[in-house]
Amino acid sequence: MQAWQFERYGRYDEVLEWVERPVPEPGPDQARVRTAAVSLNFPDLLICQGLYQVRAPLPAVPGVEGVGVVEAAGPDSPFEVGQRVVSFNNEAGMLADCFLADRATSWTVPDHVSDVQAAALSVTYGTSYYALVHRARIAPGEVLLVLGAAGGVGLAAIQLGKILGAEVIAAAGSAEKLEVCRENGADHLINYREGDIVEQVKDLTGGRGADVIYDPVGGDLFDQVKRCIAWDGRILIIGFAGGRIPTIECNRMLLKNMSVVGLAWGMCVERDPATGAKCQQHLYDLLKVGAIDPVIYRRLPFAQLFDGMRLIESRELYGKVVIER
Ligand SMILES: NC(=O)c1ccc[n+]([C@@H]2O[C@H](COP(=O)([O-])OP(=O)(O)OC[C@H]3O[C@@H](n4cnc5c(N)ncnc54)[C@H](OP(=O)(O)O)[C@@H]3O)[C@@H](O)[C@H]2O)c1
């Protein structure tokens, strides 16, 4: 089979090559899937550089989220040849003609879900659903501040936040991105490149601050927003797209009765596949009735992978980029 492979760590456009690679054989609880579509995620940039939390043995293939049709099933695989399956794999490997789908982090795809929707749904909506429901236990009427709100997980957090009855403040870095947030249900918009985000959140909440802050950015932005959390508030630590892992003073947590809550979605699903499968089904049901809809910024063929990676790197995109085979 052919695959986008790297033999050493570095920038994607310096290390990735389209090469011949052995077809992977499915082991116990696995199936081999013929790739139809792969969505790009922020970690794909880090994976090529060897900076992601999980490092696959070299030579490796990026791509953590893909969909396709099962062509071979290993012993005890829950999937049958011919079934359409979407899969997440922290060790990547999906930007190839085929990939291996593990039982715990793969799900069949109903007919009403297209390949592109399936490829774009699991990580972003799974993460935002777990974060808001299981970790923050957000309640109707609470104020939700979403940072990096036009990114993949951010737009999912806006859509799900509205379904869960929250008042959503979207914060992003351009007017164009904020317009997309508004179209996806945000009640209030803050451009964090213009003015003080803390003052704007306080103005919007009558001085109270946000009950839940969804933070996939970290760095300087986290340092600011920890000052506009409401009493009893929860800050969700989703990721560090801004590049720096921030810290927080415990006295600040005490004085605000606040919680700083981490989430590792992939590991949650691996540890509790039954809850992961229930969540995935719930997301499919929400998609069916039009309550959620992944925003697709661009669809590209495999040959144009670098264009997709460049969109993520440049921060130009909103929503998802999907690479189709
Ligand atoms: N915890 C989990 O289980 C989990 C699951 C999925 C993803 N994540 C993490 O969540 C983060 C966001 O993922 P995503 O897929 O939503 O990424 P994305 O689509 O690329 O969005 C990231 C957003 O972060 C903002 N940003 C701020 N500083 C940035 C910088 N220096 N470089 C790039 N973006 C920057 C950008 O918005 P503005 O330009 O508007 O500022 C961008 O829209 C990543 O760190 C990812 O690893 C975590």
Side-chain angles (χ1 to χ4, degrees), residues 58-75:
L58 295 176
V61 172
V64 297
E65 184 178 26
V67 61
V69 175
V70 173
E71 61 178 22

Side-chain angles (χ1 to χ4, degrees), residues 40-46 52-53 88 123-124 126-128 147-155 171-174 177-178 191-193 214-218 221 237-244 262-268 311-321:
L40 297 186
N41 284 278
F42 191 83
D44 287 315
L45 292 174
L46 306 178
Y52 191 52
Q53 50 200 237
F88 166 76
V123 171
T124 48
T127 299
S128 295
L147 308 180
V153 295
L155 284 170
S174 75
K177 287 184 176 183
L178 286 170
N191 184 338
Y192 41 54
R193 294 196 183 181
Y214 182 96
D215 183 11
V217 180
L221 210 45
I237 306 298
I238 304 299
F240 313 105
R244 179 171 64 81
L263 169 76
W265 171 78
M267 286 189 243
C268 289
L311 285 169
I312 296 191
E313 183 182 46
S314 68
R315 242 165 123 170
E316 185 189 314
L317 84 168
Y318 47 81
K320 299 287 288 177
V321 174

Side-chain angles (χ1 to χ4, degrees), residues 196-308:
D196 182 340
I197 185 170
V198 175
E199 287 311 313
Q200 293 182 72
V201 171
K202 285 187 175 167
D203 284 350
L204 288 168
T205 56
R208 276 184 68 249
D211 299 294
V212 177
I213 298 179
Y214 182 96
D215 183 11
V217 180
D220 297 345
L221 210 45
F222 177 93
D223 292 345
Q224 293 169 56
V225 299
K226 68 187 180 187
R227 292 187 284 117
C228 59
I229 186 92
W231 174 257
D232 256 342
R234 289 85 80 202
I235 302 188
L236 285 160
I237 306 298
I238 304 299
F240 313 105
R244 179 171 64 81
I245 298 173
T247 55
I248 189 162
E249 311 81 356
C250 292
N251 63 329
R252 188 183 290 280
M253 295 172 65
L254 182 153
L255 290 170
K256 277 295 178 89
N257 217 36
M258 72 188 266
S259 309
V260 177
V261 192
L263 169 76
W265 171 78
M267 286 189 243
C268 289
V269 174
E270 280 166 16
R271 283 164 172 262
D272 183 357
T275 304
K278 220 163 113 185
C279 170
Q280 187 75 9
Q281 184 56 50
H282 188 45
L283 294 174
Y284 288 149
D285 293 344
L286 290 172
L287 185 67
K288 191 168 192 178
V289 297
I292 60 171
D293 193 9
V295 174
I296 309 298
Y297 183 78
R298 190 99 11 114
R299 294 166 63 165
L300 294 168
F302 257 52
Q304 288 179 32
L305 172 66
F306 288 4
D307 293 342

Side-chain angles (χ1 to χ4, degrees), residues 9-241:
Y9 294 119
R11 277 184 56 88
Y12 61 90
D13 47 4
E14 288 168 6
V15 299
L16 280 177
E17 288 178 306
W18 184 243
V19 295
E20 201 58 38
R21 194 177 153 92
V23 173
E25 279 312 314
D29 288 327
Q30 288 184 324
R32 186 173 69 240
V33 174
R34 172 103 348 214
T35 311
V38 177
S39 82
L40 297 186
N41 284 278
F42 191 83
D44 287 315
L45 292 174
L46 306 178
I47 285 167
C48 295
Q49 297 173 72
L51 298 176
Y52 191 52
Q53 50 200 237
V54 180
R55 275 185 177 205
L58 295 176
V61 172
V64 297
E65 184 178 26
V67 61
V69 175
V70 173
E71 61 178 22
D76 300 324
S77 165
F79 304 115
E80 290 167 16
V81 172
Q83 276 185 318
R84 204 155 58 104
V85 164
V86 67
S87 186
F88 166 76
N89 192 333
N90 235 346
E91 289 190 10
M94 298 190 182
L95 282 160
D97 281 336
C98 26
F99 61 84
L100 293 179
D102 290 322
R103 173 191 282 269
T105 53
S106 306
W107 307 275
T108 52
V109 182
D111 289 345
H112 70 86
V113 182
S114 70
D115 284 339
V116 171
Q117 287 174 318
L121 184 89
S122 308
V123 171
T124 48
Y125 286 82
T127 299
S128 295
Y129 187 86
Y130 262 74
L132 297 176
V133 175
H134 294 267
R135 304 298 285 137
R137 298 178 192 279
I138 197 164
E142 286 196 310
V143 174
L144 167 65
L145 169 63
V146 181
L147 308 180
V153 295
L155 284 170
I158 294 175
Q159 292 182 8
L160 290 168
K162 289 309 296 175
I163 291 170
L164 295 163
E167 183 178 341
V168 177
I169 305 174
S174 75
E176 186 196 10
K177 287 184 176 183
L178 286 170
E179 180 54 23
V180 176
C181 297
R182 193 188 59 72
E183 288 165 9
N184 281 276
D187 300 292
H188 312 284
L189 309 173
I190 295 177
N191 184 338
Y192 41 54
R193 294 196 183 181
E194 291 171 0
D196 182 340
I197 185 170
V198 175
E199 287 311 313
Q200 293 182 72
V201 171
K202 285 187 175 167
D203 284 350
L204 288 168
T205 56
R208 276 184 68 249
D211 299 294
V212 177
I213 298 179
Y214 182 96
D215 183 11
V217 180
D220 297 345
L221 210 45
F222 177 93
D223 292 345
Q224 293 169 56
V225 299
K226 68 187 180 187
R227 292 187 284 117
C228 59
I229 186 92
W231 174 257
D232 256 342
R234 289 85 80 202
I235 302 188
L236 285 160
I237 306 298
I238 304 299
F240 313 105

